[in-house]
Amino acid sequence: MVSLSKNQTVSLSKETSSLNQLQFGLGWDPLKKKKGFLSGLLSSSSDSIDLDAGCVLLDHSGKSIDTIWFRKLKSSCGSVVHQGDNLTGEGDGDDEVITVDLTRLPSQVEYLVFTVNSFRGQTFNEVDNAFCRVVDQSRKELARYQLAEQGAHTGIIIASLARNNGSWDFTAQGKASTGRTIDDMHADIVATVVR
C-alpha cells in the first residue's frame, strides 16, 4: 500500500497484477469538541457530521459524462456505484464507498474525480481524520490519502483517477472548494484535474 501526500500520484497498475474492479473508500470523523459543563447541559446538537462522497466522470476536455452521488447512486453505464449515504461520520473504517468496474467504463471516460462535500453547509473545520483509499478486487489496499488540512470550505476534491496509456493513475488532490454539492464544484473539479 502506498501512502500519498497532497498532489502525489501513483500508477495503480504497478501496485497490482490485474486491475478490473476498484473500491474507493472515503471516511471522516466529526471533530471532537471540548465541552464545558454548561455547554454540555445546554447543547442539544450531536457530534455528527453529514458529508457526501461523489464521483464525476469526465472526458479528456473536462466535459461531464455522468455524476454519481447520494441522489444518483449508479452511473448510467452501470460501471460506477455508490454504496449509500452515511449521515453521521460515526464508526471506524469507510463511511461511504464507491465501486468502479473498469472493464465496463466507457472509453471516453478519461477522469474519475472523487469529492466530499457538505450539503448541510458544515465546514471542514468540523471534520477530523478524512481519508480516501483505493482497494482492488482482491481486497488489497493499493493507495491511501489522509487529508491533513482543515478550513472553512464545504467541499473537497479529495482524489482522482486518470487514464495513462492503458493504465490508471491515482492522484491525491486535497483541493478545497466552496461547493455544497458535487455540481457546485464542477469548475473547481475541471481546473484541478484536466491536464
Side-chain angles (χ1 to χ4, degrees):
M1 188 267 297
V2 177
S3 182
L4 299 175
S5 299
K6 184 174 180 173
N7 298 320
Q8 281 188 314
T9 299
V10 64
S11 171
L12 295 184
S13 302
K14 291 180 181 174
E15 297 301 313
T16 187
S17 56
S18 68
L19 201 59
N20 299 318
Q21 305 255 341
L22 295 174
Q23 277 192 352
F24 292 85
L26 297 112
W28 60 87
D29 293 316
L31 186 67
K32 299 293 182 208
K33 297 180 179 121
K34 294 182 181 178
K35 292 185 176 179
F37 177 73
L38 285 177
S39 66
L41 288 175
L42 300 175
S43 175
S44 61
S45 67
S46 65
D47 286 335
S48 68
I49 186 150
D50 179 16
L51 295 181
D52 301 306
C55 177
V56 62
L57 284 60
L58 303 174
D59 71 8
H60 71 282
S61 67
K63 181 181 175 203
S64 178
I65 296 169
D66 208 345
T67 302
I68 297 81
W69 59 313
F70 74 88
R71 289 193 174 157
K72 183 182 181 192
L73 296 177
K74 189 174 187 178
S75 63
S76 299
C77 63
S79 63
V80 181
V81 179
H82 192 304
Q83 301 296 318
D85 192 15
N86 178 321
L87 300 176
T88 64
E90 292 296 327
D92 293 331
D94 301 335
D95 290 309
E96 295 190 11
V97 175
I98 297 173
T99 60
V100 178
D101 183 343
L102 295 174
T103 64
R104 296 177 63 192
L105 201 62
S107 60
Q108 72 265 32
V109 176
E110 286 289 320
Y111 305 96
L112 291 96
V113 185
F114 298 90
T115 64
V116 181
N117 58 280
S118 173
F119 183 74
R120 294 182 184 171
Q122 293 169 300
T123 72
F124 277 77
N125 281 328
E126 302 171 65
V127 177
D128 198 17
N129 301 321
F131 68 87
C132 178
R133 68 189 193 111
V134 186
V135 178
D136 72 6
Q137 62 270 7
S138 69
R139 305 303 240 182
K140 177 185 175 189
E141 186 171 328
L142 304 177
R144 175 181 287 259
Y145 170 49
Q146 190 79 35
L147 183 68
E149 300 88 2
Q150 291 181 306
H153 50 279
T154 54
I156 190 143
I157 301 155
I158 196 157
S160 63
L161 194 62
R163 287 188 196 266
N164 183 3
N165 297 319
S167 65
W168 289 96
D169 290 344
F170 177 75
T171 302
Q173 299 289 356
K175 172 76 172 152
S177 178
T178 57
R180 290 173 58 171
T181 70
I182 193 169
D183 290 337
D184 296 342
M185 299 168 65
H186 186 76
D188 288 341
I189 289 168
V190 172
T192 300
V193 301
V194 176
R195 299 177 201 132

